[in-house]
Amino acid sequence: MNIFEAYNSTKKALEKAGAEDYVFEAKQIIKHITGFTNAQILMNYTNQLSDYQQNRLMALLKQRELRYPLQYIFGEWSFYGYDFYVGPGVLCPRADTETLIEKSLELLKDRKNPEILDLCAGSGCIGITLAKQVPEAAVTMVEKFPEAARYAEKNIVRNSADNVRLITGDIFESAGADKKYDLIVSNPPYIPENEMDTVSPETKYEPETALKGGKDGLDFYRAIIKNYKSALKEDGIMAFEVGAGEAAAVRSLFKDAGFKDTGTVNDLNGIKRVVFALL
Ligand code: GLN
């Protein structure tokens, strides 16, 4: 089987299995198996795969046909151009969350040596990306679960993010609220309890603790606003990723807590994905 044939049969198998982004995934898989860049694949598409590569491809597709996340199969995933270790026990970085990065970078413009707090940090993709994009920033990440924190720790090292400190602690106990921040960001668990069974087959392999946001999905937003408002500098900002349909409710939480200006940002699918508020 040559590279081109492998790509086509991978695409077909993924589509049949119901994988949403089967074209993108097929490309990623061929790159992973061959170790080639996009350009090398284009130049060498008639190359034969070795037996070893074919066996790996078959094994990988078998897992993927069970809808096991491709991110977990690879053990790493790219987010905002940086590479992160991921695996069972930690939420996979998602393209939607890059909206939160874009908005945060815009909000941080003109701030000197900003202090940033990333709550429910998981793999650390948000905090580490901000730390790399704003090298003079000091970033604190808080993650409750040791399984997830281990990924964050490895990702700090992998990305040489020397300006990040990681705290294993609970946002319901105000972990990390020991100093004042310019920006507090979070992509907390936000799926309402009764919608947990509607998540994709891939998400069913991800930790429930990274997904379930209480009865109405808003438990973590309430807790963060309540526990961390006093950890903001005078002109501090909070910015959250929110679930589809949650933006209005989260904006009201901010208004009720006395934040001056609030706003939302759409993700690439036109869903209000980020809510931010200025103190
Ligand atoms: N975006 C994820 C999903 O809908 C949820 C992530 C979260 O709860 N923060 O599958």
Side-chain angles (χ1 to χ4, degrees), residues 177 179-180 225-233 238 279:
K179 58 179 184 183
K180 302 269 185 193
I225 292 171
K226 176 166 169 275
N227 294 346
Y228 292 89
K229 189 184 165 200
S230 59
L232 282 174
K233 291 183 185 172
M238 277 195 197
L279 197 59

Side-chain angles (χ1 to χ4, degrees), residues 231-272:
L232 282 174
K233 291 183 185 172
E234 252 171 58
D235 55 351
I237 304 162
M238 277 195 197
F240 297 143
E241 175 170 322
V242 302
E246 292 180 341
V250 174
R251 268 181 108 159
S252 339
L253 291 177
F254 275 128
K255 283 182 195 145
D256 294 348
F259 282 77
K260 274 204 307 273
D261 297 310
T262 67
T264 61
V265 188
N266 288 3
D267 67 15
L268 295 172
N269 298 312
I271 292 169
K272 288 194 171 82

